[in-house]
Amino acid sequence: MFTNDGKYVLVTNNEGNDASVIDAKSLKIVNSIPTGTGPHGFRISTDSKYAFIANMAEDTVSVLDLDAMNEKQKISVGNTPVTTGITSDGKILVVPLNAENAAAVVDLDSSNITKVPVGNGPAQVYISADNKYAVIANQGTEENPSHSISKIDLVTKQVTATTETGTGAHGVVINPDGSKIFVTNMFDNTVTVIDNETNQVITTINVGATPNGISITP
């Protein structure tokens, strides 16, 4: 993942328990920053100063300082964090907890953590550009799949909408104007497109086998 200033590319090394920092111009590794055990998904703050890395095997999030090139803080969040979302103002961290069927909503100023129940086996998270909502994709497992997204109000810290998707909802993204949500469904090889205002499914797109992450251009 690129930092927003385009200076670095970060890569988590799941078995190495660290993150590689690559200079985006020279394409050389300039640093390797230790994390917790089993680093997986992450997001970088809007100001490009911090990376928030979910450590799946340690139930923590590592906060990496990209100026000092070290782990600034480690936050205990709950069982099996998969990835992270951070509001654009850097105040709220959201972490899907796969083994708890919940999302941890962390107030980074006060360190208060609220666990919000979501669907079975939550995977990825995406925060709306206005910082009002976090959308969680509920994947479950191949043996016991889930098929929904949960929309969390970041003020009330409650789920305000649940929308049925395809089987095994995994990746999730909101388009730049905030009108649509796109969700990859790992176990039926589709992408669900959802109206972000009405929370209703617009269409389902057939794609290739086992779609995972998803991105969208402006």
Side-chain angles (χ1 to χ4, degrees), residues 165-168 184-192 204 206-208 210-211:
T165 62
T167 306
T184 59
N185 304 304
M186 288 186 67
F187 306 136
D188 65 13
N189 306 331
T190 62
V191 170
T192 302
T204 300
N206 292 312
V207 293
T210 320

Side-chain angles (χ1 to χ4, degrees), residues 27-202:
L27 303 182
K28 294 181 179 180
I29 295 175
V30 295
N31 220 312
S32 293
I33 305 175
T35 63
T37 306
H40 187 66
F42 66 99
R43 289 290 186 272
I44 298 170
S45 61
T46 302
D47 61 11
S48 300
K49 291 183 177 181
Y50 301 103
F52 298 84
I53 297 177
N55 301 308
M56 287 189 69
E58 191 180 89
D59 303 344
T60 63
V61 170
S62 290
V63 183
L64 305 188
D65 185 323
L66 298 180
D67 289 331
M69 292 290 177
N70 61 20
E71 184 184 61
K72 175 188 177 184
Q73 183 183 9
K74 189 175 285 180
I75 305 170
S76 296
V77 289
N79 201 343
T80 318
V82 178
T83 188
T84 65
I86 184 73
T87 53
S88 61
D89 58 11
K91 292 184 177 181
I92 301 293
L93 175 71
V94 182
V95 187
L97 303 174
N98 185 267
E100 291 191 32
N101 301 332
V105 180
V106 184
D107 185 315
L108 292 173
D109 288 334
S110 66
S111 298
N112 288 334
I113 298 176
T114 303
K115 291 188 179 179
V116 181
V118 293
N120 180 46
Q124 294 193 14
V125 57
Y126 199 88
I127 295 179
S128 60
D130 58 11
N131 295 329
K132 290 182 178 180
Y133 299 102
V135 180
I136 307 288
N138 303 306
Q139 176 186 311
T141 64
E142 195 164 4
E143 296 76 21
N144 183 27
S146 190
H147 40 78
S148 69
I149 60 168
S150 301
K151 184 183 285 187
I152 299 173
D153 185 309
L154 293 180
V155 174
T156 64
K157 298 180 177 61
Q158 294 181 343
V159 172
T160 61
T162 301
T163 303
E164 292 295 307
T165 62
T167 306
H170 183 85
V172 59
V173 69
I174 302 172
N175 67 343
D177 67 13
S179 63
K180 297 180 181 68
I181 302 169
F182 297 81
V183 185
T184 59
N185 304 304
M186 288 186 67
F187 306 136
D188 65 13
N189 306 331
T190 62
V191 170
T192 302
V193 185
I194 299 167
D195 186 302
N196 195 23
E197 182 176 355
T198 66
N199 301 306
Q200 300 298 309
V201 174
I202 298 171

